[in-house]
Amino acid sequence: MDAIKRQQFRALFQLKWRLLMRFWSQRDELYRWSMLISVGFSALLAIALGVMGGMLLATLPLSPALSPGLGNSMELELLQYLWTVLFLGLGSIWMISPLLFIIKNENLSLDISRLTCYPIAYSTLHAFHTLLAVFEPWSLFFYPLMIGLTVGTVWSSGLIALGPTLILLGLWIALHIAWSRLLQDLVTLLFSSRYLREGLTLAVILGVILLTFIPALISERGNFESLQGLKAPTLELLLYQWPVWLKLQPILSALVHGSPAGWFVQGLSGLQQQDLRLWLTGCLQLLLWTVLAQLIGVALLRRLFLEPPAAVNLPRRQHTARLTRYRLQWPHLLRTLVLKELRTFFRSILGKLSFFLTPLLIMILRLVGLGSSPIATSHSLLLGMTVYIFMTSLFLYINFFGPDQDGFKLYLLAGLPERSLLLAKNLALTLFASGQFAIVLVLYVLLYRTLDLATLWFGICSFLSLLLGVLSMGNLLSLRFPAGMDLNQTQYRQSNGTPILLGLQVMTLLALLTSSPLWLARWHQEPLWLLSAGLTGLMALAWWLLLPFCEQLLRSQRWAILDAVSRKD
Amino acid sequence: MSAIPLSIETRQLCRRFGDFEAVRGLNLQVPQGSFFGFLGPNGAGKSTTIKMLTGLLQPSSGEVYLLGHNIWQAPIEVKRQIGVVPEKLHLFERLTGGEYLEFVGAMYGLSEDLIQARSEELLELMELSQRNDRLIADYSHGMRKKLALAAALIHNPRLLFLDEPFEGVDAVSGRILRELLQDLIARQVTIFLTSHILDIVEKLCDHLAIIHQGQLITAGPLQEMLDRLTGETPAGTASLEEAFIQIVGGQKNTRQLSWMQ
C-alpha cells in the first residue's frame, strides 16, 4: 500500500470516528442510557442464544469418531444438514439485515458516494466500504451471538481448540460482511426501479424466513401419532417417518459442500475430529469466497457509482387514491392530516411492504404447516398473528415524524395544534393497522379455523390493547428519538438502533401483557371476554392519560424534532 | 484545431439514461486559463456534463480530456489536479470547517504541515476562521459554499469546476468569492462554471457555452457572442440574459393568479 493510500485510509477512519463521537456527544443522557440499555440487552440476548447454540453444537457431534451413541451415518448426516441449514439461515439473515434497516441516520454511516470526487482508487474505496460494515449496528447483534456460540461450544466440549475455532469464526464473519455488502450493491445496481428492488428484497426476506422454518416444518410434518408410546422420537425414526428428507438429501448435501454454512460446519467437524485437513479445507473455502466477494465488489462499486441506474420510476396508477379519497367524517384539519398520512404510507414502498408483509407471512407459515398444530389454541394463534402486524411495521410507530422531513416545517409554520397532530398520527396508524387486522381475520378464517364470536371478541380486544400500547410507546419514542426517514428508500440507510431495540423490547412486553387474559382466565376461572375487555379499557385509559404529556413533549421538543427529521447529512 | 492549449476537451460526448438522452454529441473546447461559463435552462444536461467531466459519471460514448489526459484512462492522476464544488455540497455536517479541510487535504495526499498551513490561510480568506470550532451543520448556506470552495482549492488545482457556486450566497460572501475566482484566473487556473445568475456570468466569464436539451447550441468567447447578438437585435444592444432567452427560446408568462388581481 503506498503512502497516499495509507494516508487516505487513516483519514477515512478518522472521519468515521469523529462522526461517531460527535453523534454520541450530542445526544442527551436519556438517549445515551436508552442506547446502552437496549444494546446491552440485545447483546446479552445474543450471547445467551449463542451459548445455548454452542452447547447444543458440542452435544451433537458432527463426526462419526465422536458419535458412539449414534447408530448410523445417516443420523450424522442429518445432524450435519440441520446445522448447515441453521447456519445458512443465520448467515442469510445477517447478509440481508442491512436491507431491512430503513431508519435514516447518516450521522452513524458514511455515504461513500461522496468520496468519489477525490483521487481515491475504487479498490481502496471498496475496502473501506467493506470494513465499515464491521462496525455497523446491523452487524453488532451477530458478534455477541458468535462469541456466545464459541463460548458455548468450548465450554461444553474440551475437544475444540479455541484458536482454530476463532479463526474459523473470523473467516465466517468476514465472508458474511463481504457478501452482505456485495448483495446491497448488487440489488441497487440490478434494480433501477425501486419497486423491483423492494420486490426482490421482499422475496429474499421471505426466502430466508422459509429457510429458517425448515426445522419447524419437519417437526410439524412428522407423524407424531405413530410415535406415541415412545419416550422420544429418534432421528432414525424421523427419517423413516418423513421420507421427504430423503428426497431433499441431494440438495442438502450440495449445501453442505457448496455453501458458506456447509464449509463452516465442515470446519467445525474438522475441529471435533481433530482433522487438520478438514478444518483447513473449510477455512480456505471461506477465505476464497471472501476474496472473491472483494474482487467482484470493487467492479460492482465502480459500476454503481459511474453508471448509476436511471432514477426513473414510471408513474404508476394509484389504486390507493380511491381508498383514501373516501371522506372521513372528522373535523377538516384532522381529516386532511389523516389522509395525508395514509397517502404517504400507501404510496411508499416501505408503507406497502409493511402493510402486506403480515398477510404474506401468515400465508407462507400456513403453507409450511406452522400454526396448524392442534396444540395452538384459536386465541393464541390469532394473538400471534396480531403481534406480527405490529412487529412488521414497528418502524412506522416508533418514528412517525420521520417521513415528514421538511413537511414538519409546515406544521410549525401553520401553527398546527399539537393535539391535532398527535391525534392525526395515531388515527392514521390505527386505520393502517385496522386494515391489516381485517386482512388477518379473513386469512385466519380462510386458512385456519372458523371464527367464533368469543375468539373474534378476544382478537379485537387483543388488537386494540396492542395498538393502544404500541401507540403510547410510539408517541414517546417518536418524540424522544426522531430521525429523518425516507419510506421510498432502503439503500445506504443506517439504523438508528436505539428506538428499534427499545421498541422491540417494549413490544415483547406488550405481547406478554396482551396474552395475560388467557392465563388469568385459566388460573382464576374468570370469563375471558371480560378480562380482555378490561385490559383494553386499561390500555385506552393509559393512552388517553399519556396524551397530554406527549402534547407537552411535542411542544417542548418541536424544534429538536424539526432539526432531526429534516437533517440531510 | 485551436492552437491555445486546452484544459477541457470533449469529443462527441453522450450520456443516455434508458431511452432518455441527457447529453448528445457534446464537443467542448475550454482554453487553458479561461473563465468558462456553461449555461442552460433547468434539465438541459449541465450537471450530467459536469459529472462526466469530473469522472463521476461514465459517458455512454465519447471522450473527455482534462489537462491533456483522458479522465477515464487516468482518473486518479486527473482528479489530483482538479477541484470540484458540486451543486449539492455533500459536506460532512458533523465536522468543523478545519476538520473538513484536514480530511480533504489528506484525501489529496498533502502532508499534515501543508494541510495545517493551507487550512488556516483558506479559512482566514473565506472569513471562516472565527467559527472554526463550529460544526458545519451550524454554518449558513453561504458559509458552506465558501468552505466547499476552500476544500476544492486546498490541493492547488489547475482546473476548477464550480456548479452554481453563487446560489444562496449573500452579497458580501459573493464578492469574496468573485475576487478569489478572478485571482485564480490571473494565476492561469481554468474555471468551468455553471450558474443561473447571468449577471455574474457576464461579469466574470470570458468564454461561454449554452446547452439546451442535451445539445450544444453555441460556444465561444463571450464578447463575440454578445457582439453577434447585438447586431441581430433591433435596439442594437444585447445583454447575456436577452441572448440566453433568445437562444433557448424562452417565453414570457403574463398570466396572473385569479385571487391576486
Side-chain angles (χ1 to χ4, degrees):
Chain A
M1 204 192 309
D2 62 39
I4 289 185
K5 268 191 181 176
R6 264 203 305 275
Q7 193 182 359
Q8 286 175 331
F9 253 111
R10 205 176 57 221
L12 288 167
F13 280 108
Q14 193 178 35
L15 172 70
K16 175 76 183 172
W17 176 250
R18 276 178 172 157
L19 293 176
L20 277 173
M21 285 301 103
R22 292 272 150 74
F23 174 77
W24 179 253
S25 65
Q26 287 177 346
R27 300 289 135 172
D28 58 19
E29 284 291 308
L30 177 71
Y31 191 97
R32 287 185 207 174
W33 278 108
S34 310
M35 198 175 196
L36 285 175
I37 289 167
S38 55
V39 169
F41 183 77
S42 304
L44 281 176
L45 189 73
I47 287 179
L49 277 172
V51 169
M52 283 192 286
M55 286 169 78
L56 198 63
L57 190 72
T59 319
L60 300 176
L62 299 166
S63 60
L66 301 165
S67 56
L70 291 176
N72 56 45
S73 61
M74 195 181 269
E75 286 184 341
L76 276 167
E77 214 175 339
L78 180 66
L79 278 174
Q80 268 205 334
Y81 295 159
L82 277 172
W83 280 112
T84 304
V85 168
L86 182 79
F87 281 111
L88 196 65
L90 178 68
S92 307
I93 291 170
W94 191 343
M95 280 200 278
I96 65 155
S97 52
L99 300 175
L100 302 176
F101 286 106
I102 39 77
I103 292 181
K104 181 182 168 186
N105 188 344
E106 291 182 3
N107 286 316
L108 284 175
S109 74
L110 201 56
D111 180 0
I112 57 158
S113 66
R114 294 181 184 190
L115 303 172
T116 50
C117 62
Y118 303 117
I120 182 166
Y122 277 94
S123 54
T124 311
L125 207 56
H126 186 263
F128 178 66
H129 182 45
T130 308
L131 283 172
L132 278 185
V134 175
F135 308 105
E136 282 181 355
W138 52 264
S139 283
L140 296 181
F141 178 80
F142 294 97
Y143 302 139
L145 188 71
M146 299 313 293
I147 290 168
L149 204 61
T150 316
V151 170
T153 317
V154 172
W155 192 6
S156 302
S157 155
L159 290 169
I160 294 176
L162 188 61
T165 311
L166 287 177
I167 292 172
L168 193 66
L169 267 175
L171 286 169
W172 199 69
I173 289 170
L175 182 136
H176 281 86
I177 287 170
W179 280 91
S180 172
R181 274 291 192 235
L182 195 66
L183 186 71
Q184 280 178 74
D185 294 344
L186 193 67
V187 168
T188 313
L189 186 73
L190 286 180
F191 296 89
S192 54
S193 158
R194 282 201 306 260
Y195 299 99
L196 279 173
R197 200 163 63 222
E198 301 302 338
L200 178 83
T201 308
L202 180 62
V204 174
I205 296 165
L206 295 177
V208 169
I209 289 166
L210 267 176
L211 207 62
T212 52
F213 278 116
I214 286 179
L217 170 70
I218 295 158
S219 64
E220 284 275 331
R221 287 285 169 88
N223 188 352
F224 285 101
E225 281 174 20
S226 65
L227 301 174
Q228 278 176 353
L230 292 171
K231 280 180 182 172
T234 62
L235 288 167
E236 197 178 353
L237 192 56
L238 262 180
L239 280 173
Y240 286 118
Q241 291 296 324
W242 203 62
V244 178
W245 260 121
L246 298 173
K247 287 178 191 164
L248 283 175
Q249 203 176 12
I251 302 168
L252 291 166
S253 180
L255 280 178
V256 167
H257 294 104
S259 74
W263 304 322
F264 184 60
V265 173
Q266 267 183 44
L268 285 174
S269 305
L271 285 173
Q272 281 199 329
Q273 292 176 53
Q274 293 182 318
D275 181 343
L276 185 67
R277 196 186 54 82
L278 199 57
W279 171 79
L280 206 59
T281 311
C283 286
L284 274 177
Q285 278 169 316
L286 290 171
L287 182 68
L288 276 175
W289 280 85
T290 310
V291 172
L292 184 69
Q294 283 301 103
L295 293 176
I296 301 171
V298 175
L300 204 63
L301 195 74
R302 190 178 184 279
R303 199 176 153 84
L304 190 64
F305 287 144
L306 295 180
E307 294 181 51
V312 180
N313 285 301
L314 295 174
R316 290 160 63 94
R317 284 179 62 197
Q318 297 296 339
H319 298 287
T320 52
R322 282 197 300 276
L323 175 79
T324 52
R325 210 174 286 143
Y326 175 75
R327 290 183 72 80
L328 299 166
Q329 297 304 311
W330 291 333
H332 182 237
L333 175 64
L334 203 58
R335 190 175 70 222
T336 309
L337 285 169
V338 169
L339 286 181
K340 175 255 163 198
E341 289 294 309
L342 290 176
R343 284 178 179 133
T344 305
F345 295 152
F346 284 107
R347 291 176 185 175
S348 66
I349 303 301
L350 288 173
K352 276 187 266 200
L353 202 70
S354 64
F355 188 83
F356 292 110
L357 195 56
T358 302
L360 271 172
L361 275 175
I362 290 170
M363 283 190 273
I364 286 167
L365 294 183
R366 183 65 190 89
L367 279 176
V368 299
L370 281 184
S372 57
S373 160
I375 301 162
T377 66
S378 303
H379 294 116
S380 57
L381 190 62
L382 192 56
L383 177 63
M385 291 178 176
T386 313
V387 171
Y388 266 165
I389 293 175
F390 296 101
M391 283 290 193
T392 52
S393 38
L394 196 63
F395 65 94
L396 290 176
Y397 295 85
I398 59 170
N399 182 27
F400 53 53
F401 292 114
D404 286 333
Q405 303 210 343
D406 285 338
F408 195 78
K409 269 184 206 157
L410 183 67
Y411 300 152
L412 298 187
L413 287 172
L416 219 61
E418 284 84 7
R419 177 155 297 212
S420 298
L421 191 54
L422 279 175
L423 278 177
K425 294 277 180 189
N426 282 221
L427 280 170
L429 286 168
T430 302
L431 288 175
F432 187 78
S434 302
Q436 289 173 294
F437 183 63
I439 298 175
V440 163
L441 284 180
V442 172
L443 287 177
Y444 177 88
V445 174
L446 290 177
L447 302 178
Y448 287 90
R449 299 163 195 182
T450 51
L451 193 62
D452 58 80
L453 210 60
T455 310
L456 179 66
W457 176 257
F458 174 77
I460 291 172
C461 287
S462 303
F463 167 72
L464 288 175
S465 300
L466 273 172
L467 174 74
L468 288 160
V470 173
L471 285 177
S472 304
M473 169 193 73
N475 284 342
L476 291 171
L477 289 180
S478 301
L479 293 165
R480 286 302 315 188
F481 304 106
M485 176 165 66
D486 183 355
L487 292 177
N488 280 314
Q489 283 284 350
T490 61
Q491 299 306 308
Y492 297 111
R493 291 289 180 265
Q494 195 64 49
S495 163
N496 189 0
T498 306
I500 289 183
L501 288 173
L502 276 176
L504 283 172
Q505 285 157 14
V506 175
M507 188 65 221
T508 312
L509 294 176
L510 280 172
L512 284 174
L513 186 68
T514 315
S515 65
S516 63
L518 282 176
W519 46 264
L520 272 176
R522 200 170 300 151
W523 287 352
H524 296 280
Q525 306 296 315
E526 300 291 343
L528 181 61
W529 69 268
L530 191 64
L531 287 168
S532 310
L535 180 68
T536 310
L538 281 175
M539 295 302 280
L541 186 69
W543 174 80
W544 183 250
L545 291 175
L546 208 58
L547 204 58
F549 172 73
C550 293
E551 202 179 329
Q552 269 191 339
L553 198 59
L554 174 56
R555 202 169 296 133
S556 63
Q557 289 285 104
R558 61 188 187 275
W559 301 114
I561 295 171
L562 175 65
D563 180 49
V565 300
S566 59
R567 203 176 287 153
K568 293 286 192 291
D569 65 322
Chain B
M1 226 14 165
S2 169
I4 309 164
L6 298 173
S7 284
I8 304 172
E9 187 181 9
T10 69
R11 295 177 195 162
Q12 290 298 318
L13 194 64
C14 291
R15 177 69 215 195
R16 282 179 295 275
F17 293 103
D19 295 335
F20 175 65
E21 216 170 359
V23 175
R24 292 186 275 177
L26 190 72
N27 290 308
L28 263 185
Q29 292 191 330
V30 178
Q32 195 176 308
S34 64
F35 204 134
F36 196 93
F38 190 55
L39 305 183
N42 292 332
K46 298 188 297 296
S47 294
T48 305
T49 305
I50 285 203
K51 279 184 185 169
M52 287 192 285
L53 294 181
T54 52
L56 300 178
L57 182 70
Q58 182 107 43
S60 302
S61 62
E63 290 172 333
V64 177
Y65 291 90
L66 299 187
L67 305 165
H69 302 282
N70 185 326
I71 189 164
W72 294 103
Q73 283 168 10
I76 297 191
E77 285 71 19
V78 174
K79 281 180 184 179
R80 282 195 184 130
Q81 298 180 64
I82 66 172
V84 185
V85 178
E87 189 181 5
K88 287 176 188 166
L89 296 175
H90 295 320
L91 304 170
F92 294 105
E93 304 263 316
R94 301 284 145 186
L95 295 184
T96 65
E99 286 169 348
Y100 181 65
L101 292 183
E102 185 189 330
F103 168 72
V104 175
M107 284 289 107
Y108 284 100
L110 305 182
S111 70
E112 278 181 41
D113 293 343
L114 198 59
I115 294 172
Q116 181 70 22
R118 287 186 183 176
S119 294
E120 282 173 14
E121 209 175 324
L122 280 164
L123 290 171
E124 190 71 37
L125 182 73
M126 301 288 183
E127 297 180 346
L128 296 170
S129 53
Q130 302 283 318
R131 300 172 176 87
N132 199 20
D133 56 338
R134 275 171 62 182
L135 297 184
I136 298 170
D138 300 327
Y139 276 22
S140 69
H141 188 69
M143 288 163 74
R144 285 163 193 245
K145 286 271 180 186
K146 286 196 286 186
L147 183 66
L149 183 60
L153 292 174
I154 196 163
H155 58 295
N156 194 19
R158 290 169 58 200
L159 172 59
L160 199 55
F161 289 91
L162 308 174
D163 198 355
E164 297 289 350
F166 296 101
E167 192 193 30
V169 174
D170 64 45
V172 180
S173 300
R175 170 174 271 189
I176 294 170
L177 289 185
R178 278 201 307 274
E179 285 173 357
L180 179 67
L181 296 179
Q182 280 166 332
D183 184 47
L184 290 170
I185 289 293
R187 286 195 270 158
Q188 282 298 298
V189 173
T190 309
I191 298 177
F192 187 91
L193 169 127
T194 74
S195 178
H196 288 299
I197 309 169
L198 299 182
D199 281 348
I200 290 178
V201 175
E202 198 170 351
K203 276 181 198 157
L204 289 176
C205 296
D206 46 42
H207 284 72
L208 196 72
I210 297 178
I211 183 174
H212 185 41
Q213 293 176 342
Q215 277 184 312
L216 189 67
I217 304 295
T218 183
L222 176 69
Q223 200 51 53
E224 272 180 28
M225 206 181 291
L226 288 177
D227 289 345
R228 196 171 65 236
L229 281 157
T230 301
E232 289 171 9
T233 52
T237 56
S239 67
L240 181 59
E241 187 180 325
E242 284 167 350
F244 179 76
I245 290 170
Q246 192 181 327
I247 288 167
V248 302
Q251 288 177 341
K252 280 187 179 175
N253 190 345
T254 53
R255 290 184 64 183
Q256 290 180 325
L257 296 169
S258 61
W259 68 94
M260 287 189 152
Q261 286 171 6

